[in-house]
Amino acid sequence: KAGVTQTPRYLIKTRGQQVTLSCSPISGHRSVSWYQQTPGQGLQFLFEYFSETQRNKGNFPGRFSGRQFSNSRSEMNVSTLELGDSALYLCASGVDSYTGELFFGEGSRLTVL
Amino acid sequence: AQSVTQLGSHVSVSEGALVLLRCNYSSSVPPYLFWYVQYPNQGLQLLLKYTSAATLVKGINGFEAEFKKSETSFHLTKPSAHMSDAAEYFCAVMGSGAGSYQLTFGKGTKLSVIP
């Protein structure tokens, strides 16, 4: 069974640009969550989608957005990038996230210069 | 709001020694608690989960954790460390209230295993 696939794995952007990250969940999983991981703040919840609906959103500015498609694939977008957005962005899928049993991808490492 | 505190950002043990990683939680309701592990350049992997069925929870790779309500703790242990256990370990709690759908993670504890 294929795991959670995130693309791209690494990317470099400059301040002010925007970026779109993609996540393909495990087949059959309808819940996709996104987390930001930084050395200073640790793992922070961005948002969660279930059957194309955002059910919860973390405490991030509106520059961070996401969506989920009918095939459960998800994308997150960050507009007007800032240096502080440099992080590892992790996608996790699950049958339903309320169980806490999430399967994480390897992440997309974003560097903002 | 629920939170978890992991005591010790770095722990070093000798190969074959006991592994003890500490986690304390704050929660106004019975929590769902988790331990996840992250190997270098990889995502997180679920080690074990507490959902009030039993206070001693056994996970993968020989790890277990004991839920102690009186101490609000959920420490992770393994009797004998192996070199392959070197990784970062995260304690997490499921958000409270209906419709939370998020995990709140501790800051993590990096485990080093000395040969």
Side-chain angles (χ1 to χ4, degrees):
Chain A
K1 196 173 189 181
V4 177
T5 303
Q6 292 189 246
T7 57
R9 289 291 314 281
Y10 302 91
L11 65 167
I12 300 173
K13 295 285 187 179
T14 56
R15 280 180 297 174
Q17 288 186 310
Q18 75 165 11
V19 66
T20 299
L21 309 178
S22 179
C23 172
S24 293
I26 291 172
S27 177
H29 286 185
R30 296 165 66 188
S31 168
V32 173
S33 304
W34 289 88
Y35 289 82
Q36 181 196 63
Q37 185 176 25
T38 60
Q41 299 299 317
L43 283 152
Q44 294 185 285
F45 171 77
L46 281 157
F47 24 66
E48 190 263 2
Y49 290 88
F50 184 87
S51 294
E52 301 180 69
T53 299
Q54 186 184 86
R55 295 193 297 190
N56 198 7
K57 189 177 191 303
N59 189 27
F60 279 82
R63 300 185 296 107
F64 292 81
S65 62
R67 59 178 176 170
Q68 186 181 33
F69 303 95
S70 58
N71 62 357
S72 294
R73 191 177 69 84
S74 177
E75 289 181 348
M76 68 162 284
N77 183 78
V78 188
S79 63
T80 319
L81 284 166
E82 300 177 359
L83 295 179
D85 297 334
S86 295
L88 181 66
Y89 290 88
L90 291 165
C91 169
S93 77
V95 173
D96 198 321
S97 59
Y98 76 85
T99 67
E101 296 179 29
L102 302 181
F103 295 81
F104 283 80
E106 294 183 321
S108 293
R109 185 166 296 280
L110 170 65
T111 301
V112 182
L113 302 177
Chain B
Q2 305 209 11
S3 65
V4 291
T5 302
Q6 291 184 241
L7 301 176
S9 58
H10 288 87
V11 170
S12 291
V13 300
S14 298
E15 192 174 15
L18 171 72
V19 175
L20 171 60
L21 305 181
R22 301 178 187 272
C23 172
N24 289 89
Y25 68 91
S26 68
S27 172
S28 58
V29 298
Y32 281 11
L33 291 162
F34 309 83
W35 277 98
Y36 277 83
V37 60
Q38 186 176 33
Y39 297 99
N41 298 315
Q42 294 188 24
L44 280 73
Q45 179 183 8
L46 179 64
L47 271 180
L48 49 81
K49 168 185 176 180
Y50 168 77
T51 58
S52 77
T55 57
L56 184 62
V57 182
K58 293 187 183 300
I60 62 172
N61 302 336
F63 284 94
E64 61 182 37
E66 186 173 8
F67 174 73
K68 292 187 176 180
K69 186 177 179 181
S70 61
E71 299 176 7
T72 61
S73 69
F74 190 57
H75 301 333
L76 181 70
T77 60
K78 182 174 180 177
S80 176
H82 192 272
M83 295 298 294
S84 60
D85 295 326
E88 190 158 18
Y89 293 79
F90 294 90
C91 183
V93 62
M94 175 59 70
S96 61
S100 177
Y101 309 114
Q102 71 180 77
L103 289 170
T104 298
F105 288 90
K107 293 292 189 183
T109 298
K110 191 164 289 187
L111 175 67
S112 298
V113 181
I114 304 166

